[in-house]
Amino acid sequence: MLSSRLSPDWPFDVRRLPFFYGWVIWLFSTLGFLFSVPGQTMGMAVFTDPFIDTFGLSRTQLSMAYLLGTVGSSLFLTRAGRLFDRFGGRLTIALSSFALGLMLVFISLVDSLAALLGNYTWLTFLLILLGYFGVRFFGQGMLTSCSRNVLLLWFVKRRGLVSGVRGVFVSFGFSLAPLVLGYLIGVYGWRGALWLLAVSVGVIFAAAALIFVRDNPVACGVLADGDADGRSDALSGESVSQPLHVARRSPVFWIYSVSLGVHAFFGTAVTFHVVSIFEAAGRDREEAFAYFFPMAVFATSVNLVASWLVDSYPLKPFLLVMLMTLITGAVGLLHLDQTWGFWMMAAGLGTGGGLWGVTSNLAFIRFFGPLHVGEISGLNTSITVFASAVGPAAFSLGLDYLGSYNEAVKICIGLVAVLLVVAMLIKQRKPSLAVTSK
């Protein structure tokens, strides 16, 4: 097997390097997130209108294909998390990157394949559904989750800070991605842009990950955090962890997973329909894409500050503020035709996005330990991806049957308010310190 041949000493021994190799892992963890953009909503959203024009599908049909493809991918992500626990981040990051590249090429050929097979609308629908399944599973699902988890194993004392610094680059990169992808589409066309992305992630990054990524410090003969601190050594040795079946019985797991999922539901829906939402508020396409810049400023600033604080404080306040700012952003969207509504939306969703990164990075390894983090975070990712799939379709149906996006937004506000109350009431103990399972 390939995984058995990938010795931690190939093609070089990290112990011979004059610096802590965790920082190289940090770089590739960050790049893994950024190269997952084609499988993220903000990556696919830029292609929505070209797909509608080329494939001959309505906006609702494309949204439903996105929904079904994403829901289908979410069903397999817990099992994909087990692959990370079994084979490590090195192999899973490389293979998921390669597979993501293949799926981007497949999407670029959807119209050609449909024409070759008879050019039926239902066939085009099935082909783009399969394409969405692939990019969501390998991009937002596997590549993102594996890139997140591999970094958590290399740091303990500074886990929140290094995750947060990564989050600054990721949040800024995600927020600027629609502008960059829009530029690539303008220069190379939507098909050429997909091919360029496929080569970048599926060939260049996949090969680099196979060469430079290492699974964990223990396998390499070094200590987490790059020092001999006993706390780092104990936790990097995976001495305290809980399995998935224990996590599933914990209300702490569910309040974090559902809260992160609802945030993904709302954020994905807004991103997927951003041009249409802004047009409904009397704003043009340029203003829609320009919205991502101030949101990125809020997201990155909050992410950095929160990550600096989170290593010294419990996660509960960060979760509560995340939910409150999501409500703030949603209220701003209801008044997007006003200048104050625009800035309220950018500030609320940007701040919530920054805190989303902090809580999603740390919640499951902090409460349940590192040994089963792939499987446990895989279940959370499955929930998040499922929610992100439902969001665009729900907003699209709201537009079709209710005449605007506002009703869907109001329902989201009510749901988040309920979650906020529940999150205040749930006691958040660290079960990983109370029960040990190997």
PDB file of all heavy atoms in Angstrom, residues 357-383:
ATOM      1  N   GLY A 357     -14.726  30.010  12.541  1.00  0.00           N
ATOM      2  CA  GLY A 357     -13.444  29.343  12.348  1.00  0.00           C
ATOM      3  C   GLY A 357     -12.809  28.915  13.661  1.00  0.00           C
ATOM      4  O   GLY A 357     -12.277  27.811  13.776  1.00  0.00           O
ATOM      5  N   VAL A 358     -12.886  29.756  14.674  1.00  0.00           N
ATOM      6  CA  VAL A 358     -12.293  29.439  15.977  1.00  0.00           C
ATOM      7  C   VAL A 358     -12.991  28.242  16.609  1.00  0.00           C
ATOM      8  O   VAL A 358     -12.352  27.291  17.067  1.00  0.00           O
ATOM      9  CB  VAL A 358     -12.374  30.666  16.909  1.00  0.00           C
ATOM     10  CG1 VAL A 358     -11.942  30.292  18.319  1.00  0.00           C
ATOM     11  CG2 VAL A 358     -11.505  31.796  16.374  1.00  0.00           C
ATOM     12  N   THR A 359     -14.318  28.272  16.640  1.00  0.00           N
ATOM     13  CA  THR A 359     -15.055  27.193  17.304  1.00  0.00           C
ATOM     14  C   THR A 359     -14.960  25.877  16.533  1.00  0.00           C
ATOM     15  O   THR A 359     -14.819  24.810  17.135  1.00  0.00           O
ATOM     16  CB  THR A 359     -16.532  27.584  17.490  1.00  0.00           C
ATOM     17  OG1 THR A 359     -17.087  27.989  16.230  1.00  0.00           O
ATOM     18  CG2 THR A 359     -16.666  28.732  18.467  1.00  0.00           C
ATOM     19  N   SER A 360     -15.033  25.930  15.204  1.00  0.00           N
ATOM     20  CA  SER A 360     -14.966  24.683  14.433  1.00  0.00           C
ATOM     21  C   SER A 360     -13.579  24.053  14.507  1.00  0.00           C
ATOM     22  O   SER A 360     -13.441  22.825  14.480  1.00  0.00           O
ATOM     23  CB  SER A 360     -15.339  24.941  12.967  1.00  0.00           C
ATOM     24  OG  SER A 360     -14.417  25.817  12.341  1.00  0.00           O
ATOM     25  N   ASN A 361     -12.543  24.875  14.630  1.00  0.00           N
ATOM     26  CA  ASN A 361     -11.184  24.342  14.738  1.00  0.00           C
ATOM     27  C   ASN A 361     -10.954  23.599  16.047  1.00  0.00           C
ATOM     28  O   ASN A 361     -10.313  22.545  16.067  1.00  0.00           O
ATOM     29  CB  ASN A 361     -10.165  25.482  14.632  1.00  0.00           C
ATOM     30  CG  ASN A 361      -9.979  25.973  13.215  1.00  0.00           C
ATOM     31  OD1 ASN A 361     -10.169  25.229  12.258  1.00  0.00           O
ATOM     32  ND2 ASN A 361      -9.616  27.240  13.083  1.00  0.00           N
ATOM     33  N   LEU A 362     -11.466  24.141  17.149  1.00  0.00           N
ATOM     34  CA  LEU A 362     -11.046  23.679  18.468  1.00  0.00           C
ATOM     35  C   LEU A 362     -12.070  22.867  19.240  1.00  0.00           C
ATOM     36  O   LEU A 362     -11.701  22.128  20.159  1.00  0.00           O
ATOM     37  CB  LEU A 362     -10.632  24.891  19.315  1.00  0.00           C
ATOM     38  CG  LEU A 362      -9.475  25.733  18.784  1.00  0.00           C
ATOM     39  CD1 LEU A 362      -9.204  26.884  19.732  1.00  0.00           C
ATOM     40  CD2 LEU A 362      -8.238  24.888  18.599  1.00  0.00           C
ATOM     41  N   ALA A 363     -13.358  22.978  18.912  1.00  0.00           N
ATOM     42  CA  ALA A 363     -14.376  22.388  19.776  1.00  0.00           C
ATOM     43  C   ALA A 363     -14.194  20.892  19.985  1.00  0.00           C
ATOM     44  O   ALA A 363     -14.208  20.404  21.120  1.00  0.00           O
ATOM     45  CB  ALA A 363     -15.770  22.666  19.196  1.00  0.00           C
ATOM     46  N   PHE A 364     -13.976  20.144  18.930  1.00  0.00           N
ATOM     47  CA  PHE A 364     -14.050  18.691  19.038  1.00  0.00           C
ATOM     48  C   PHE A 364     -12.768  18.070  19.580  1.00  0.00           C
ATOM     49  O   PHE A 364     -12.817  17.107  20.340  1.00  0.00           O
ATOM     50  CB  PHE A 364     -14.460  18.111  17.690  1.00  0.00           C
ATOM     51  CG  PHE A 364     -15.737  18.725  17.205  1.00  0.00           C
ATOM     52  CD1 PHE A 364     -15.734  19.685  16.201  1.00  0.00           C
ATOM     53  CD2 PHE A 364     -16.938  18.406  17.823  1.00  0.00           C
ATOM     54  CE1 PHE A 364     -16.911  20.298  15.805  1.00  0.00           C
ATOM     55  CE2 PHE A 364     -18.124  19.014  17.429  1.00  0.00           C
ATOM     56  CZ  PHE A 364     -18.107  19.970  16.417  1.00  0.00           C
ATOM     57  N   ILE A 365     -11.629  18.644  19.249  1.00  0.00           N
ATOM     58  CA  ILE A 365     -10.398  18.121  19.836  1.00  0.00           C
ATOM     59  C   ILE A 365     -10.273  18.569  21.292  1.00  0.00           C
ATOM     60  O   ILE A 365      -9.730  17.854  22.127  1.00  0.00           O
ATOM     61  CB  ILE A 365      -9.162  18.554  19.015  1.00  0.00           C
ATOM     62  CG1 ILE A 365      -7.959  17.687  19.408  1.00  0.00           C
ATOM     63  CG2 ILE A 365      -8.871  20.031  19.166  1.00  0.00           C
ATOM     64  CD1 ILE A 365      -6.790  17.802  18.463  1.00  0.00           C
ATOM     65  N   ARG A 366     -10.820  19.731  21.630  1.00  0.00           N
ATOM     66  CA  ARG A 366     -10.746  20.202  23.008  1.00  0.00           C
ATOM     67  C   ARG A 366     -11.667  19.395  23.917  1.00  0.00           C
ATOM     68  O   ARG A 366     -11.297  19.059  25.047  1.00  0.00           O
ATOM     69  CB  ARG A 366     -11.108  21.697  23.080  1.00  0.00           C
ATOM     70  CG  ARG A 366     -11.085  22.249  24.493  1.00  0.00           C
ATOM     71  CD  ARG A 366     -11.309  23.743  24.546  1.00  0.00           C
ATOM     72  NE  ARG A 366     -10.167  24.511  24.075  1.00  0.00           N
ATOM     73  CZ  ARG A 366     -10.045  25.835  24.233  1.00  0.00           C
ATOM     74  NH1 ARG A 366     -10.997  26.516  24.854  1.00  0.00           N
ATOM     75  NH2 ARG A 366      -8.986  26.468  23.779  1.00  0.00           N
ATOM     76  N   PHE A 367     -12.860  19.054  23.465  1.00  0.00           N
ATOM     77  CA  PHE A 367     -13.808  18.336  24.305  1.00  0.00           C
ATOM     78  C   PHE A 367     -13.632  16.818  24.260  1.00  0.00           C
ATOM     79  O   PHE A 367     -13.949  16.127  25.229  1.00  0.00           O
ATOM     80  CB  PHE A 367     -15.246  18.685  23.906  1.00  0.00           C
ATOM     81  CG  PHE A 367     -15.672  20.059  24.341  1.00  0.00           C
ATOM     82  CD1 PHE A 367     -15.844  21.068  23.401  1.00  0.00           C
ATOM     83  CD2 PHE A 367     -15.889  20.352  25.671  1.00  0.00           C
ATOM     84  CE1 PHE A 367     -16.225  22.343  23.791  1.00  0.00           C
ATOM     85  CE2 PHE A 367     -16.274  21.627  26.073  1.00  0.00           C
ATOM     86  CZ  PHE A 367     -16.433  22.624  25.133  1.00  0.00           C
ATOM     87  N   PHE A 368     -13.128  16.283  23.131  1.00  0.00           N
ATOM     88  CA  PHE A 368     -13.109  14.830  22.968  1.00  0.00           C
ATOM     89  C   PHE A 368     -11.734  14.249  22.666  1.00  0.00           C
ATOM     90  O   PHE A 368     -11.606  13.043  22.492  1.00  0.00           O
ATOM     91  CB  PHE A 368     -14.100  14.427  21.863  1.00  0.00           C
ATOM     92  CG  PHE A 368     -15.493  14.924  22.119  1.00  0.00           C
ATOM     93  CD1 PHE A 368     -16.010  15.966  21.372  1.00  0.00           C
ATOM     94  CD2 PHE A 368     -16.267  14.382  23.134  1.00  0.00           C
ATOM     95  CE1 PHE A 368     -17.281  16.460  21.616  1.00  0.00           C
ATOM     96  CE2 PHE A 368     -17.544  14.863  23.392  1.00  0.00           C
ATOM     97  CZ  PHE A 368     -18.052  15.908  22.628  1.00  0.00           C
ATOM     98  N   GLY A 369     -10.694  15.083  22.623  1.00  0.00           N
ATOM     99  CA  GLY A 369      -9.350  14.577  22.454  1.00  0.00           C
ATOM    100  C   GLY A 369      -8.965  14.303  21.008  1.00  0.00           C
ATOM    101  O   GLY A 369      -9.798  14.349  20.106  1.00  0.00           O
ATOM    102  N   PRO A 370      -7.673  13.973  20.762  1.00  0.00           N
ATOM    103  CA  PRO A 370      -7.159  13.872  19.392  1.00  0.00           C
ATOM    104  C   PRO A 370      -7.249  12.495  18.736  1.00  0.00           C
ATOM    105  O   PRO A 370      -7.137  12.396  17.521  1.00  0.00           O
ATOM    106  CB  PRO A 370      -5.692  14.271  19.564  1.00  0.00           C
ATOM    107  CG  PRO A 370      -5.337  13.813  20.944  1.00  0.00           C
ATOM    108  CD  PRO A 370      -6.589  13.992  21.766  1.00  0.00           C
ATOM    109  N   LEU A 371      -7.449  11.432  19.522  1.00  0.00           N
ATOM    110  CA  LEU A 371      -7.326  10.094  18.949  1.00  0.00           C
ATOM    111  C   LEU A 371      -8.376   9.804  17.879  1.00  0.00           C
ATOM    112  O   LEU A 371      -8.084   9.179  16.863  1.00  0.00           O
ATOM    113  CB  LEU A 371      -7.425   9.047  20.066  1.00  0.00           C
ATOM    114  CG  LEU A 371      -7.192   7.588  19.642  1.00  0.00           C
ATOM    115  CD1 LEU A 371      -5.809   7.422  19.023  1.00  0.00           C
ATOM    116  CD2 LEU A 371      -7.357   6.661  20.842  1.00  0.00           C
ATOM    117  N   HIS A 372      -9.600  10.277  18.085  1.00  0.00           N
ATOM    118  CA  HIS A 372     -10.686  10.033  17.134  1.00  0.00           C
ATOM    119  C   HIS A 372     -11.169  11.329  16.492  1.00  0.00           C
ATOM    120  O   HIS A 372     -12.313  11.417  16.053  1.00  0.00           O
ATOM    121  CB  HIS A 372     -11.854   9.348  17.847  1.00  0.00           C
ATOM    122  CG  HIS A 372     -11.462   8.092  18.561  1.00  0.00           C
ATOM    123  ND1 HIS A 372     -11.246   6.898  17.904  1.00  0.00           N
ATOM    124  CD2 HIS A 372     -11.216   7.849  19.876  1.00  0.00           C
ATOM    125  CE1 HIS A 372     -10.903   5.972  18.791  1.00  0.00           C
ATOM    126  NE2 HIS A 372     -10.868   6.517  19.987  1.00  0.00           N
ATOM    127  N   VAL A 373     -10.296  12.322  16.419  1.00  0.00           N
ATOM    128  CA  VAL A 373     -10.711  13.633  15.941  1.00  0.00           C
ATOM    129  C   VAL A 373     -11.180  13.590  14.491  1.00  0.00           C
ATOM    130  O   VAL A 373     -12.084  14.329  14.090  1.00  0.00           O
ATOM    131  CB  VAL A 373      -9.573  14.669  16.119  1.00  0.00           C
ATOM    132  CG1 VAL A 373      -8.383  14.357  15.210  1.00  0.00           C
ATOM    133  CG2 VAL A 373     -10.088  16.079  15.865  1.00  0.00           C
ATOM    134  N   GLY A 374     -10.587  12.708  13.676  1.00  0.00           N
ATOM    135  CA  GLY A 374     -11.011  12.615  12.284  1.00  0.00           C
ATOM    136  C   GLY A 374     -12.454  12.164  12.167  1.00  0.00           C
ATOM    137  O   GLY A 374     -13.252  12.757  11.432  1.00  0.00           O
ATOM    138  N   GLU A 375     -12.814  11.132  12.910  1.00  0.00           N
ATOM    139  CA  GLU A 375     -14.163  10.581  12.835  1.00  0.00           C
ATOM    140  C   GLU A 375     -15.186  11.524  13.459  1.00  0.00           C
ATOM    141  O   GLU A 375     -16.268  11.750  12.896  1.00  0.00           O
ATOM    142  CB  GLU A 375     -14.192   9.230  13.546  1.00  0.00           C
ATOM    143  CG  GLU A 375     -15.457   8.442  13.335  1.00  0.00           C
ATOM    144  CD  GLU A 375     -15.372   7.053  13.941  1.00  0.00           C
ATOM    145  OE1 GLU A 375     -14.579   6.864  14.893  1.00  0.00           O
ATOM    146  OE2 GLU A 375     -16.106   6.179  13.456  1.00  0.00           O
ATOM    147  N   ILE A 376     -14.858  12.101  14.617  1.00  0.00           N
ATOM    148  CA  ILE A 376     -15.799  12.998  15.292  1.00  0.00           C
ATOM    149  C   ILE A 376     -15.988  14.284  14.492  1.00  0.00           C
ATOM    150  O   ILE A 376     -17.120  14.724  14.256  1.00  0.00           O
ATOM    151  CB  ILE A 376     -15.313  13.314  16.716  1.00  0.00           C
ATOM    152  CG1 ILE A 376     -15.355  12.043  17.571  1.00  0.00           C
ATOM    153  CG2 ILE A 376     -16.173  14.402  17.356  1.00  0.00           C
ATOM    154  CD1 ILE A 376     -14.737  12.191  18.944  1.00  0.00           C
ATOM    155  N   SER A 377     -14.889  14.882  14.057  1.00  0.00           N
ATOM    156  CA  SER A 377     -15.014  16.083  13.237  1.00  0.00           C
ATOM    157  C   SER A 377     -15.627  15.751  11.883  1.00  0.00           C
ATOM    158  O   SER A 377     -16.264  16.600  11.251  1.00  0.00           O
ATOM    159  CB  SER A 377     -13.652  16.753  13.050  1.00  0.00           C
ATOM    160  OG  SER A 377     -12.770  15.931  12.306  1.00  0.00           O
ATOM    161  N   GLY A 378     -15.458  14.487  11.436  1.00  0.00           N
ATOM    162  CA  GLY A 378     -16.096  14.065  10.196  1.00  0.00           C
ATOM    163  C   GLY A 378     -17.608  14.088  10.302  1.00  0.00           C
ATOM    164  O   GLY A 378     -18.308  14.501   9.366  1.00  0.00           O
ATOM    165  N   LEU A 379     -18.142  13.650  11.458  1.00  0.00           N
ATOM    166  CA  LEU A 379     -19.586  13.718  11.670  1.00  0.00           C
ATOM    167  C   LEU A 379     -20.049  15.167  11.713  1.00  0.00           C
ATOM    168  O   LEU A 379     -21.082  15.522  11.123  1.00  0.00           O
ATOM    169  CB  LEU A 379     -19.956  13.005  12.971  1.00  0.00           C
ATOM    170  CG  LEU A 379     -21.443  13.068  13.359  1.00  0.00           C
ATOM    171  CD1 LEU A 379     -22.326  12.505  12.252  1.00  0.00           C
ATOM    172  CD2 LEU A 379     -21.677  12.320  14.671  1.00  0.00           C
ATOM    173  N   ASN A 380     -19.291  16.025  12.383  1.00  0.00           N
ATOM    174  CA  ASN A 380     -19.642  17.442  12.399  1.00  0.00           C
ATOM    175  C   ASN A 380     -19.598  18.026  10.994  1.00  0.00           C
ATOM    176  O   ASN A 380     -20.478  18.802  10.596  1.00  0.00           O
ATOM    177  CB  ASN A 380     -18.673  18.204  13.314  1.00  0.00           C
ATOM    178  CG  ASN A 380     -18.790  19.701  13.121  1.00  0.00           C
ATOM    179  OD1 ASN A 380     -19.775  20.322  13.486  1.00  0.00           O
ATOM    180  ND2 ASN A 380     -17.769  20.294  12.503  1.00  0.00           N
ATOM    181  N   THR A 381     -18.570  17.668  10.227  1.00  0.00           N
ATOM    182  CA  THR A 381     -18.473  18.158   8.863  1.00  0.00           C
ATOM    183  C   THR A 381     -19.652  17.681   8.030  1.00  0.00           C
ATOM    184  O   THR A 381     -20.185  18.411   7.192  1.00  0.00           O
ATOM    185  CB  THR A 381     -17.157  17.694   8.209  1.00  0.00           C
ATOM    186  OG1 THR A 381     -16.053  18.162   8.994  1.00  0.00           O
ATOM    187  CG2 THR A 381     -17.016  18.237   6.799  1.00  0.00           C
ATOM    188  N   SER A 382     -20.072  16.447   8.268  1.00  0.00           N
ATOM    189  CA  SER A 382     -21.239  15.914   7.562  1.00  0.00           C
ATOM    190  C   SER A 382     -22.477  16.757   7.843  1.00  0.00           C
ATOM    191  O   SER A 382     -23.242  17.095   6.929  1.00  0.00           O
ATOM    192  CB  SER A 382     -21.474  14.460   7.991  1.00  0.00           C
ATOM    193  OG  SER A 382     -22.611  13.926   7.362  1.00  0.00           O
ATOM    194  N   ILE A 383     -22.664  17.126   9.102  1.00  0.00           N
ATOM    195  CA  ILE A 383     -23.806  17.960   9.482  1.00  0.00           C
ATOM    196  C   ILE A 383     -23.696  19.342   8.841  1.00  0.00           C
ATOM    197  O   ILE A 383     -24.664  19.887   8.303  1.00  0.00           O
ATOM    198  CB  ILE A 383     -23.891  18.077  11.012  1.00  0.00           C
ATOM    199  CG1 ILE A 383     -24.187  16.706  11.631  1.00  0.00           C
ATOM    200  CG2 ILE A 383     -24.946  19.096  11.436  1.00  0.00           C
ATOM    201  CD1 ILE A 383     -24.012  16.653  13.128  1.00  0.00           C
TER     202      ILE A 383
END
